[in-house]
Amino acid sequence: MKIVSAAPRTTIFSLLFIAFFLSACSKSADELDIVNAQHPLLEHLLPSKGQDFSKREIIWDREIESLAPDFYKSVIWRADNAPDQWQEYRAEQLAALFDFYDSLSAADIASAYSLFQKEYVAAHSDMKYKFPDYKANLKVMLVPGVSWGGSYIDRRSSGGKEYLALGLDWYLGQASPPSQSMVRSLIIHESFHDYHGQLRGGSVNERDYHDKGKLFWQLWDEGMASWGMGSVMGDQSPKTVMLMGYENYDGCRDPELATLFLQEIDNKAIDVENPASVKKWFGVYQVKDLGEDTPPMIGYYLGWRTIRLIEQGGISSDTFLSWDYATAKPYIIKSLEAIATEPQCAKE
């Protein structure tokens, strides 16, 4: 297990010894590439609180961003999307990051970063147990700047790497931090995106997703990761495969929502001009555009239901995991049409 950080020399040697020992004990173990910014945060950035921005930026550049400069430039600062404006955006975001981490205790930061590293290693073990052919050829990013829950990011088409960005900032910003089990579920979900890409011959080029992608691409990808999480965890129930908000959902709106999705199935997968048209299906709060009683990330759920129907129809996972979007589309339509014609729940 490779762990990149700016830890003191003795800590690095200790970690290398542990990694060597673990690899010697397990010949089949993957070489996990984990970039963990816990030590530079605690030992360099937090003690610089009160210094002016330019001095703290030097510390940031030297101790944190240097751990993964390509990741920060392409993913966090979005330089590819705004080549003439990303440095201004970076300065704004850095100032906000400094303020955010200044508001946190060292104990909370250490606890969160340690938890995410522990849970990633455990989640990877769970993935390998269920799917022994999975190879995690990616960098696991436990660093400041990931303000969302997490995501698998493939930058290989533009000369970059594969990343698994995990949302430490998101976690630390919650009034009530998510449970340990939810953190592991999130990591399994995002890891399965990586595995799914391997089985179908590679992830989709990001530019193609922006330029050519359809809404059902998101349904298929997120539904598949939800199905994969259920497979790894041994429980294909909405409460397990959905990360939040499905404890009391009875499925009564499924026919209505499946009908609506069929009407929008060929809308853009990513709509810069009208992001709400996508977020209402795949967001957390924006789903209220579909009705106040709509649970979060309903597109994930409909995708999961679609794949469950395909599986229950006798098609093996080895088969449907290898499908491209064009092959999957008629099966998606057939499954959504089946959901759309399910009996309506009796109204009280």
Side-chain angles (χ1 to χ4, degrees), residues 182-286:
M182 182 178 177
V183 170
R184 186 177 304 188
S185 297
L186 171 67
I187 294 170
I188 292 171
H189 178 103
E190 297 304 333
S191 296
F192 200 85
H193 282 302
D194 180 25
Y195 181 55
H196 185 204
Q198 293 174 20
L199 293 182
R200 63 181 176 184
S203 299
V204 179
N205 180 291
E206 184 179 7
R207 179 50 54 192
D208 283 346
Y209 217 97
H210 277 269
D211 296 345
K212 304 175 185 177
K214 304 296 183 182
L215 198 62
F216 77 88
W217 291 21
Q218 292 241 35
L219 183 91
W220 185 246
D221 290 342
E222 297 300 348
M224 192 67 74
S226 300
W227 174 90
M229 179 169 52
S231 297
V232 171
M233 301 181 74
D235 181 11
Q236 291 286 3
S237 67
K239 183 178 178 181
T240 295
V241 303
M242 298 304 299
L243 295 172
M244 63 181 77
Y246 284 75
E247 295 83 359
N248 301 311
Y249 180 62
D250 57 13
C252 284
R253 295 196 61 209
D254 288 8
E256 168 201 349
L257 293 167
T259 299
L260 181 58
F261 195 93
L262 281 165
Q263 295 170 5
E264 302 183 8
I265 194 168
D266 286 319
N267 285 3
K268 293 180 179 179
I270 298 175
D271 193 334
V272 177
E273 295 180 357
N274 184 23
S277 66
V278 177
K279 290 181 178 180
K280 71 181 182 184
W281 292 107
F282 301 100
V284 175
Y285 305 107
Q286 300 90 339

Side-chain angles (χ1 to χ4, degrees), residues 35 60 71-72 75-77 93 97 100-101 113 116 140-153 163-173 186:
V35 179
W60 169 274
F71 172 79
Y72 271 103
V75 177
I76 303 300
W77 313 137
Q93 293 301 304
L97 270 175
F100 175 65
Y101 274 88
Y113 276 74
F116 269 70
V140 181
M141 306 305 297
L142 305 180
V143 296
V146 184
S147 57
W148 62 99
S151 55
Y152 165 72
I153 303 163
Y163 300 103
L164 187 65
L166 299 178
L168 271 302
D169 294 4
W170 163 79
Y171 178 89
L172 286 163
L186 171 67

Side-chain angles (χ1 to χ4, degrees), residues 292-306:
E292 286 298 319
D293 58 343
T294 308
M297 302 182 297
I298 192 67
Y300 291 50
Y301 166 79
L302 285 177
W304 167 77
R305 282 216 58 197
T306 293

Side-chain angles (χ1 to χ4, degrees), residues 131-161:
F131 301 104
D133 58 333
Y134 172 54
K135 299 293 183 182
N137 301 317
L138 43 67
K139 281 186 172 293
V140 181
M141 306 305 297
L142 305 180
V143 296
V146 184
S147 57
W148 62 99
S151 55
Y152 165 72
I153 303 163
D154 188 351
R155 294 288 184 179
R156 288 175 296 175
S157 63
S158 56
K161 297 180 174 65

Side-chain angles (χ1 to χ4, degrees), residues 97-111:
L97 270 175
F98 293 164
D99 288 344
F100 175 65
Y101 274 88
D102 286 347
S103 72
L104 303 172
S105 71
D108 284 347
I109 294 170
S111 176

